[in-house]
Amino acid sequence: MTLDPKRLLPRAAAAALLATATVSLLAVPAAAEGAMEITAPGHPVRTGQALRISGDGDDDTARYLRACVQERTPGAGAWRTVNCGRTVASGDGATVEALIRARRRGALQLRGVLYGLDAPGDPHPDVVRSSAVRMVRIH
């Protein structure tokens, strides 16, 4: 049995191409890691009762981070920032605590937002993560 050089060359080129593709996939950096979570009461609360909301988050895409809690009434449109934690360096874990008074009957939506900053005093932070929306019933 003799080897045909015309058949051997395309196979060698395909093997080299496959090896190059494999090596380049291994060199891709890992995806950004991070999360934002808040805790809120899972049961209905009475009008006038204070709700303690806490949250924490981290992300490795920004130099500095700040965690905030936002609220809105369903159908009201815009989110309103209730409170923000202190600005921390990325990797230190940003935290926030908020005390919200249940003013009206109905529902209240809450979420945590993690802002990324270029410097501790950055006047224009970017939203890098937000938590799932939590619904609290007020009666």
Side-chain angles (χ1 to χ4, degrees):
M1 181 161 131
T2 61
L3 293 177
D4 186 6
K6 290 182 181 177
R7 286 188 173 171
L8 191 58
L9 188 59
R11 286 184 184 170
L17 182 62
L18 183 60
T20 303
T22 303
V23 169
S24 66
L25 284 176
L26 293 175
V28 173
E33 296 286 327
M36 179 64 196
E37 301 279 329
I38 65 166
T39 59
H43 55 82
V45 297
R46 297 190 184 285
T47 304
Q49 185 176 350
L51 308 170
R52 182 171 304 280
I53 311 299
S54 62
D56 60 85
D58 206 351
D59 193 280
D60 59 1
T61 61
R63 292 182 62 200
Y64 296 93
L65 301 168
R66 182 183 307 135
C68 299
V69 172
Q70 295 181 337
E71 70 174 0
R72 77 174 176 187
T73 304
W79 289 93
R80 183 181 80 83
T81 300
V82 177
N83 194 29
C84 292
R86 65 184 183 87
T87 301
V88 297
S90 180
D92 289 346
T95 60
V96 59
E97 296 286 328
L99 195 60
I100 300 172
R101 182 126 350 243
R103 294 186 177 93
R104 284 174 235 145
R105 290 179 179 217
L108 181 64
Q109 291 179 327
L110 301 163
R111 74 175 181 180
V113 177
L114 187 63
Y115 290 98
L117 297 88
D118 293 328
D122 187 353
H124 304 289
D126 297 318
V127 174
V128 292
R129 302 252 177 220
S130 61
S131 71
V133 175
R134 300 287 185 128
M135 182 80 74
V136 177
R137 297 273 176 215
I138 303 168
H139 59 94

